[in-house]
Amino acid sequence: MHSEAVASRSADQRGSSRESRHGTPHLDAVSLAIIEQLQEDGRRPYAAIGKAVGLSEAAVRQRVQKLLDQGVMQIVAVTDPLTVGFRRQAMVGINVEGDVESAADALSAMSEVEYVVMTAGSFDILAEIVCEDDDHLLDVINKRIRALPGVRSTESFVYLKLKKQTYMWGTR
């Protein structure tokens, strides 16, 4: 977003703390522009972000901290799992009898589970698993996921090759 467009936003849009009627934070154009800057480079200096969005370095620092505190974003190092010793990834479709949320919560607590989403369709839950090897994956699925209360069935989709993994979708 161009700094002129961001800077021209009215003063009442400068606060990013208002919540929508669904309880999620309302993000104004400036906060969205800050997020886009950080998606391009998570180490971009606050002064450079401030120049791009029309705020001071201190104001950007406050906005970023608020966005982190609200859980709107995370600033993390994204690795290629293969290069750090995790040779097996899989998406696991899970069908649950009873409370889907409690099963999703239990999955979320597992360190090998990187992604959990409750779905409508063939599966109640999809979980992405990152493991050291096939034995580790088998242990996670067979002894831990299938042992969860309410888990009726699983179907595993083992990754053969990861072609694209990006977090650059912007804020649209």
Side-chain angles (χ1 to χ4, degrees), residues 83-152:
T83 63
V84 292
F86 295 102
R87 304 244 174 255
R88 180 56 67 213
Q89 290 178 269
M91 185 66 68
V92 180
I94 303 161
N95 286 309
V96 177
E97 289 179 4
D99 186 11
V100 174
E101 275 197 73
S102 64
D105 289 343
L107 288 162
S108 297
M110 295 180 188
S111 63
E112 297 87 353
V113 177
E114 297 298 319
Y115 174 84
V116 176
V117 63
M118 294 181 287
T119 66
S122 299
F123 300 104
D124 297 312
I125 299 173
L126 291 174
E128 184 177 38
I129 314 296
V130 178
C131 294
E132 295 169 9
D133 54 31
D134 287 334
D135 288 336
H136 187 193
L137 179 64
L138 176 62
D139 183 68
V140 170
I141 293 170
N142 193 45
K143 294 185 177 155
R144 295 174 56 209
I145 293 176
R146 289 182 179 157
L148 291 175
V151 170
R152 186 178 60 213

Side-chain angles (χ1 to χ4, degrees), residues 8 23 29 33 41 48 65 76 85 106 108 112-113 115 122 158 164 171:
S8 70
D41 180 359
Q65 189 59 53
V76 299
S108 297
E112 297 87 353
V113 177
Y115 174 84
S122 299
V158 174
K164 181 179 180 180
T171 58

Side-chain angles (χ1 to χ4, degrees), residues 41-58:
D41 180 359
R43 298 183 309 160
R44 184 164 287 152
Y46 291 147
I49 295 170
K51 185 174 182 179
V53 303
L55 291 178
S56 69
E57 179 180 347

